[in-house]
Amino acid sequence: MKLNWITAHRRLLKLVWPFVLTVALQVALGVFSLNILSAVRAYVGGESLWSKGQKDAIYALYRYADSGHPADLVQYQQALGVIAGDRRAREALEQTEPNTDVSREGFLAGGNAPSDVDNLIWLFVEFRDDEDISHVARLWREGDRLMDELNLIAIRLQEAAASRTLDLDKQRALRQNIQRINEQITPLTKAFSRSLSDLARRVENLLLLINVLAAATLVGLALWRANRLLSQSEGYASALRQSEERFKLAVQGSNDGIWDWDMRTGAVYFSPRYKELLGFGQDDSSLDFATLTARLHPEDRERAIEALRRHLANEAHYDVEYRMRTRTGEYRWYRARGRVLRTQDGVPLRMSGSLTDATDRKEIEHALQSEKERAEITLAAIGEAVITTDTQGQIDYMNPAAEQLLSCSLTLARSKPLSSLFRLVDPLQRSHEMRLPPLQSGIQLPAISQNHHNLLLIQHDGQEISVNLTHSSIHTHDGQVEGQVLVLHDLTREHQYLASLSWQASHDMLTGLVNRREFERSLLASLATADSEHDALMYLDLDQFKTVNDTCGHAAGDALLRQTAAVLQQQLDPHDLLARLGGDEFGVLLSHTDLARAEHVAEALRQSVLKLNFTWGGQSFSISASIGLVYLDQHPVTLAEVLRAADVACYMAKEKGRNRVQRYRPQDSEVSLRYDEMEWVHRLHRALEEQRLCLYAQTIQPLAENSDGEHYEVLLRLRDEQGDLVPPIAFLPAAERYNLMPQIDRWVVTAALRALEARHLGPDKPRLGLCTINLSGASINDEQFLDFLRDTLRNSPVPTTSLCFEITETSAIASLASAARVVSELRALGCHFALDDFGTGMSSFAYLKHLPVDYLKIDGSFVKDMVRDPVDRAMVEMIQRISAMMGKHTIAEYVEDLDTLNMLRACGVHYAQGYGIARPQPFYDPRPVPAQIAAPDRTTTSP
């Protein structure tokens, strides 16, 4: 326990030991001085008793000598006992080995106080060689000698008294001896007493001097030590001030707040910066630990308190980060650090620490963490294998794609060289292994990415993977190289994809046959060889495909195409080429064959399709094929001409009743006609693509006086490649035959509405009465065209009440139900309808009851000769009367002179149209001026 106390107070002892030593020495010196003085005083007191004993003994013996009374003798003996005791004590102490026990008994017998005996013995023993003490001892011995003489006198007196021989003379002589001894001992006693007094004074002076010197010495030592301590204290204070200044500057520079918690008193100090960090004023005294605890974020409170508890329990350092609500209500991140001061027993005494605003760092860390996570997620998500190494080429990181590519996890690959996992070689020169350039740490190199394409990555198990490599060095912020990054792009899927694309680009996905592009490439290659005259080309078209597709759906149509492809392939040799050209069309290229075999194969193909018993949903269909055959020993020899010849032959097979093989013969007139039509099909496609269709308008003149605006019919024209106008009669038959009319009608409707909007809508524009637009029979039967027409009319600002759609009587009768439905739906939108070429059919009036049209256009064959032919006139009158009865208006076509116009007005016809009224004009030209009635230009046909 004492050792622990000294250890705990070592620094205090180090500071006060000089003062403690000074006091201890001064006390020791004082005790020593007191002991000497006490001993000297004891001798002085003993001398008094010794001198008194001598006087008493002399006086008692003198009386005894006078009186001889025994009481005086007893008194003498008692006084002599004091002197004898002191003598025994002195003689015991003067021995070579002082006998302190005898000496003590002697001093006690001499009447000395027991408390002074030890001092008497100590002073005599310790200082008997001292001159003063020796002088006193000589006087003491001399006194004892005189007392011996006195004792001899006492003995003679006692003997004489006992023998009764004491006479006066003898008594007088003895009394004189006693007197003589008294006279001798008196100055001796005085000398003895004076010597002791002088000794006491000298001792006192000496001790005083010694004490003064000792005190002065000790005071000087104390002053020296105090001065040294003051100097040290000033040095410490100066160092402390400098340290505090440095600490203050460091704290201010570090922007930290300081706190100190005295656990003995519970007092807590918060620096001004600490309060400022939390938004408190410097003089605000409301801040304490309870306030801080209450301001901790709920998610961080338990963790912060646990960190403090663990530090106080000496389980961990106190370094914790938490969010705390500031005075403004904002939560900010802080880092608290501190350390506790403990006793030797580990009991906490006080704790100090700092508080740092870590919000900016946390935001940066959060941003960096987010960036790192995004980078890791990105690296994990990308398909390329990413590998980073150090300057020694040892692996630091691999993303999941790299792990999969190399069939090795990052855990196993870390710190291994790249060469232990794979090697890269040129696929064309496998012996040539590609090695990455070595990197040296600390060397500044430009960060240039290097790319290497089409390398072969060979794993240690022999697996080979085609890859592209991109590698670049990794640099520190000061440009020093610390590693490199490799990006390996696995080309396996790309090669597979390219192979798949190559196959898809040349094959039909539904049937697996080659497609039109590959078929035409093969055909072109065949035409380019010298053996092309021994090849044959066939176009095959399924006759009932549309029926199956419309009746059972596209799934049934697809199944029919696959089964057809399978049966066709069975009839061909391996070197023959079968392709699906599109829709229900197939192509066959027979290589190295003669005409007989070509015709035989064509017939076999037709028979195989005819025998195909296609069933879908419990319903059976009879399937046949129309085949066009072109033998390549004849002209034409270009790819386009060969394809057109096969197409024409296939179309002729269909027109001749289907389910047949039609061989192409160039000299056939029917083939020539079909060639012209096919040519127009291609020209129409190009015209649509090049926007060479245009619209003209021909005035329809009311025959009554009143007019409700302009009336005209929109007519279609085509500009050929040289810009010349081509009349519809030249290209519309081909368009109708090859089902191009819905596409052309869409263009006409869109262009007409756009032109009407520009021509009539807006201020100062001529009023539109009625605009007539022709629709083909194919468009009437096309459900998608009707949807298109409804949507277009709803989105156009042109009023539907000013639009009239015109269909021919022939097309209406061909599909009466469809025509009636289209007429009804468009009339419900506000549109009008006109029936063109009325009167040419055998049952025109019968069908008229089922078609809710608004206008009847009397066929021009009845109008143009009605002035000269009464039958034609009668037909016109009859049509007019019936139309009037049914509430319909009539329009007469082919009005080419004034007489015809007047006769039509007389018959009650409502409108007239023809070259005698106005010729067709470009739709965007100024309003056409009505032509003077003149003889018609026979070189130009009516629309």
Side-chain angles (χ1 to χ4, degrees):
M1 185 67 184
K2 183 177 181 181
L3 182 60
N4 292 338
W5 186 92
I6 293 175
T7 303
H9 297 79
R10 180 177 298 172
R11 191 169 184 272
L12 178 62
L13 293 175
K14 187 175 181 180
L15 292 174
V16 304
W17 75 263
F19 303 99
V20 172
L21 180 60
T22 300
V23 173
L25 291 175
Q26 191 69 44
V27 170
L29 183 59
V31 171
F32 177 73
S33 299
L34 289 176
N35 287 336
I36 292 178
L37 290 175
S38 177
V40 171
R41 284 196 301 269
Y43 270 102
V44 171
E47 184 274 332
S48 298
L49 293 175
W50 181 73
S51 296
K52 183 176 181 301
Q54 286 179 339
K55 293 296 184 183
D56 289 343
I58 292 172
Y59 179 71
L61 186 60
Y62 194 83
R63 284 187 306 173
Y64 178 71
D66 284 341
S67 62
H69 196 281
D72 293 332
L73 181 62
V74 173
Q75 186 176 4
Y76 163 75
Q77 291 175 345
Q78 290 177 349
L80 189 62
V82 172
I83 298 171
D86 291 336
R87 182 177 182 176
R88 287 196 306 270
R90 177 181 57 77
E91 290 175 348
L93 294 176
E94 286 179 341
Q95 296 177 7
T96 303
E97 293 293 334
N99 191 336
T100 57
D101 294 336
V102 175
S103 176
R104 183 175 291 105
E105 292 176 358
F107 281 129
L108 290 174
N112 292 283
S115 58
D116 292 336
V117 171
D118 289 336
N119 290 333
L120 294 172
I121 296 172
W122 174 80
L123 181 63
F124 191 90
V125 170
E126 295 298 329
F127 297 97
R128 63 183 178 177
D129 294 331
D130 182 76
E131 182 179 355
D132 292 331
I133 297 299
S134 298
H135 176 70
V136 171
R138 285 193 302 271
L139 293 176
W140 193 355
R141 284 191 296 271
E142 182 64 22
D144 287 341
R145 185 185 64 76
L146 293 175
M147 290 306 294
D148 288 342
E149 292 180 1
L150 183 63
N151 193 38
L152 291 175
I153 296 173
I155 292 172
R156 285 197 298 268
L157 282 174
Q158 186 178 8
E159 289 177 350
S163 62
R164 297 185 182 273
T165 61
L166 182 63
D167 54 13
L168 290 175
D169 293 332
K170 192 175 184 178
Q171 183 180 16
R172 185 180 304 111
L174 291 173
R175 289 179 64 183
Q176 288 177 352
N177 288 332
I178 293 172
Q179 185 64 35
R180 177 183 56 78
I181 293 173
N182 184 39
E183 291 176 356
Q184 291 179 353
I185 204 169
T186 298
L188 180 64
T189 302
K190 290 180 180 179
F192 185 73
S193 177
R194 187 169 53 252
S195 297
L196 287 176
S197 297
D198 293 341
L199 176 62
R201 283 192 298 271
R202 285 195 301 271
V203 169
E204 287 180 359
N205 292 334
L206 178 61
L207 290 176
L208 177 61
L209 178 61
I210 291 173
N211 277 278
V212 170
L213 293 176
T217 302
L218 293 176
V219 169
L221 179 62
L223 291 175
W224 171 79
R225 181 58 180 173
N227 182 62
R228 185 176 179 183
L229 289 176
L230 287 176
S231 299
Q232 290 180 350
S233 178
E234 290 179 358
Y236 292 154
S238 176
L240 179 60
R241 285 194 300 272
Q242 294 179 0
S243 177
E244 288 179 348
E245 290 176 357
R246 287 194 295 269
F247 179 72
K248 184 177 180 180
L249 291 174
V251 170
Q252 292 177 349
S254 65
N255 207 26
D256 289 353
I258 303 300
W259 55 272
D260 181 78
W261 176 23
D262 190 339
M263 300 179 185
R264 294 166 296 185
T265 63
V268 183
Y269 165 76
F270 298 103
S271 69
R273 178 57 182 163
Y274 190 104
K275 297 179 180 179
E276 182 183 352
L277 289 175
L278 297 178
F280 288 82
Q282 295 185 6
D283 299 330
D284 196 333
S285 60
S286 62
L287 193 62
D288 53 22
F289 272 164
T291 303
L292 295 178
T293 304
R295 289 181 173 273
L296 286 172
H297 194 282
E299 296 178 0
D300 302 336
R301 183 176 294 118
E302 183 177 353
R303 178 168 53 83
I305 295 175
E306 177 63 16
L308 180 60
R309 185 201 66 76
R310 294 189 63 198
H311 181 65
L312 293 178
N314 206 15
E315 296 177 358
H317 295 292
Y318 183 67
D319 190 344
V320 62
E321 292 183 348
Y322 48 72
R323 288 163 290 180
M324 188 181 294
R325 190 177 70 255
T326 64
R327 192 69 176 268
T328 61
E330 174 192 11
Y331 276 104
R332 296 185 67 84
W333 276 100
Y334 297 95
R335 181 183 181 185
R337 287 169 289 182
R339 190 168 185 177
V340 70
L341 178 64
R342 305 175 186 274
T343 64
Q344 292 295 327
D345 299 332
V347 179
L349 294 177
R350 67 187 305 155
M351 184 175 178
S352 299
S354 63
L355 185 74
T356 307
D357 191 333
T359 304
D360 294 340
R361 178 175 59 80
K362 277 290 186 179
E363 291 177 352
I364 294 174
E365 288 178 356
H366 178 72
L368 291 175
Q369 181 65 25
S370 300
E371 188 68 24
K372 179 183 177 182
E373 291 177 357
R374 283 194 295 270
E376 291 179 349
I377 292 173
T378 301
L379 289 175
I382 63 176
E384 282 78 6
V386 180
I387 305 172
T388 61
T389 71
D390 57 16
T391 55
Q392 304 302 319
Q394 295 179 340
I395 296 175
D396 285 334
Y397 171 79
M398 296 194 312
N399 67 342
E403 293 179 325
Q404 182 178 3
L405 178 67
L406 302 179
S407 301
C408 181
S409 66
L410 175 59
T411 303
L412 297 177
R414 195 186 302 275
S415 300
K416 290 185 177 180
L418 288 173
S419 58
S420 66
L421 298 181
F422 65 90
R423 57 191 182 93
L424 297 170
V425 300
D426 188 337
L428 301 179
Q429 299 178 357
R430 288 176 172 263
S431 60
H432 176 66
E433 181 175 351
M434 179 196 166
R435 297 186 181 274
L436 298 176
L439 298 176
Q440 296 183 8
S441 179
I443 302 300
Q444 292 189 357
L445 296 174
I448 301 176
S449 297
Q450 300 184 27
N451 300 317
H452 304 274
H453 298 285
N454 295 322
L455 297 176
L456 199 60
L457 184 147
I458 303 178
Q459 299 181 5
H460 278 289
D461 59 0
Q463 182 180 357
E464 298 180 353
I465 303 173
S466 296
V467 296
N468 286 340
L469 169 65
T470 300
H471 66 93
S472 176
S473 55
I474 302 174
H475 296 79
T476 61
H477 66 280
D478 56 355
Q480 303 297 317
V481 176
E482 64 176 2
Q484 63 180 338
V485 58
L486 291 80
V487 179
L488 295 169
H489 178 66
D490 188 351
L491 298 176
T492 303
R493 289 188 178 181
E494 293 185 8
H495 288 174
Q496 295 173 350
Y497 182 65
L498 290 175
S500 176
L501 285 180
S502 177
W503 188 90
Q504 293 177 17
S506 60
H507 287 76
D508 173 58
M509 298 299 296
L510 179 63
T511 62
L513 303 176
V514 297
N515 57 16
R516 175 182 288 274
R517 178 182 177 183
E518 181 64 16
F519 185 78
E520 290 181 355
R521 188 194 64 78
S522 300
L523 179 58
L524 184 62
S526 177
L527 293 174
T529 63
D531 296 336
S532 62
E533 60 183 16
H534 301 295
D535 297 342
L537 171 66
M538 283 181 271
Y539 260 24
L540 186 148
D541 188 277
L542 297 182
D543 297 327
Q544 286 78 27
F545 177 76
K546 190 175 186 305
T547 302
V548 173
N549 211 40
D550 293 345
T551 303
C552 301
H554 294 293
D558 292 345
L560 174 59
L561 291 174
R562 285 192 292 267
Q563 293 184 24
T564 302
V567 299
L568 292 177
Q569 191 70 63
Q570 294 175 1
Q571 307 302 319
L572 300 175
D573 292 340
H575 58 272
D576 297 331
L577 181 63
L578 174 63
R580 183 189 174 203
L581 304 181
D584 59 347
E585 294 180 352
F586 293 88
V588 179
L589 179 61
L590 302 180
S591 302
H592 309 292
T593 187
D594 53 20
L595 180 57
R597 178 178 179 271
E599 291 178 341
H600 173 75
V601 171
E603 183 61 24
L605 294 175
R606 185 190 68 82
Q607 290 288 342
S608 64
V609 174
L610 187 62
K611 294 177 182 179
L612 177 63
N613 184 20
F614 181 73
T615 303
W616 188 267
Q619 186 177 359
S620 297
F621 295 90
S622 178
I623 307 299
S624 63
S626 299
I627 302 176
L629 172 62
V630 179
Y631 193 60
L632 298 183
D633 63 344
Q634 307 161 353
H635 291 286
V637 294
T638 66
L639 177 63
E641 290 173 337
V642 169
L643 294 175
R644 189 179 308 140
D647 195 13
V648 168
C650 182
Y651 192 83
M652 290 174 61
K654 280 184 171 294
E655 283 196 335
K656 291 182 178 181
R658 304 174 185 266
N659 190 26
R660 66 183 62 243
V661 177
Q662 177 66 45
R663 179 186 166 195
Y664 171 78
R665 295 181 176 84
Q667 66 276 12
D668 194 335
S669 60
E670 188 176 2
V671 170
S672 178
L673 177 62
R674 294 292 176 264
Y675 248 105
D676 292 339
E677 290 180 348
M678 291 293 295
E679 178 63 26
W680 266 116
V681 169
H682 296 297
R683 292 182 65 184
L684 283 173
H685 280 297
R686 290 196 300 271
L688 287 169
E689 293 173 357
E690 298 169 4
Q691 295 292 320
R692 287 192 281 108
L693 296 179
C694 58
L695 296 178
Y696 271 59
Q698 186 177 31
T699 300
I700 300 176
Q701 179 177 325
L703 298 183
E705 294 297 331
N706 60 334
S707 175
D708 55 354
E710 292 185 347
H711 287 240
Y712 46 81
E713 179 182 0
V714 174
L715 305 174
L716 178 65
R717 296 292 186 268
L718 182 145
R719 294 189 183 277
D720 62 13
E721 290 77 359
Q722 289 74 36
D724 298 330
L725 286 177
V726 179
I729 192 63
F731 59 85
L732 285 184
E736 291 174 349
R737 180 181 296 275
Y738 290 97
N739 200 30
L740 292 178
M741 286 310 300
Q743 184 178 358
I744 293 175
D745 285 346
R746 287 170 185 257
W747 183 91
V748 170
V749 170
T750 302
L753 292 176
R754 189 178 299 129
L756 289 173
E757 180 181 355
R759 184 181 180 94
H760 294 286
L761 300 185
D764 302 328
K765 297 290 181 70
R767 185 172 179 271
L768 174 63
L770 193 69
C771 175
T772 302
I773 302 174
N774 289 277
L775 297 179
S776 66
S779 298
I780 292 295
N781 293 315
D782 188 349
E783 185 68 28
Q784 294 180 352
F785 181 81
L786 180 59
D787 295 337
F788 156 78
L789 198 55
R790 279 195 295 260
D791 294 339
T792 303
L793 294 177
R794 289 192 185 101
N795 296 325
S796 174
V798 178
T800 56
T801 55
S802 63
L803 298 178
C804 178
F805 291 100
E806 185 176 311
I807 58 176
T808 64
E809 179 183 355
T810 302
S811 62
I813 293 173
S815 183
L816 184 61
S818 298
R821 183 172 60 84
V822 171
V823 171
S824 298
E825 290 196 20
L826 293 182
R827 290 186 81 242
L829 296 177
C831 300
H832 302 280
F833 260 88
L835 190 61
D836 195 12
D837 298 336
F838 186 77
T840 57
M842 297 295 294
S843 305
S844 298
F845 293 105
Y847 290 118
L848 188 60
K849 293 188 296 182
H850 303 287
L851 291 174
V853 297
D854 302 286
Y855 297 92
L856 295 179
K857 296 192 74 172
I858 304 173
D859 188 72
S861 61
F862 301 127
V863 175
K864 64 181 179 180
D865 293 329
M866 64 178 294
V867 175
R868 293 176 294 276
D869 190 341
V871 177
D872 290 341
R873 180 178 179 180
M875 289 291 295
V876 172
E877 291 175 346
M878 179 183 62
I879 293 173
Q880 171 58 34
R881 285 196 298 272
I882 294 176
S883 299
M885 292 176 60
M886 299 181 70
K888 304 181 187 300
H889 292 79
T890 53
I891 302 174
E893 297 180 310
Y894 287 86
V895 179
E896 298 180 350
D897 53 44
L898 186 58
D899 293 339
T900 304
L901 184 64
N902 291 331
M903 185 173 290
L904 290 171
R905 185 178 287 111
C907 292
V909 175
H910 301 91
Y911 298 93
Q913 179 184 1
Y915 283 176
I917 305 298
R919 290 180 175 273
Q921 298 293 328
F923 202 9
Y924 288 102
D925 283 358
R927 186 176 62 174
V929 179
Q932 296 294 327
I933 299 301
D937 183 1
R938 295 298 180 183
T939 61
T940 306
T941 60
S942 182

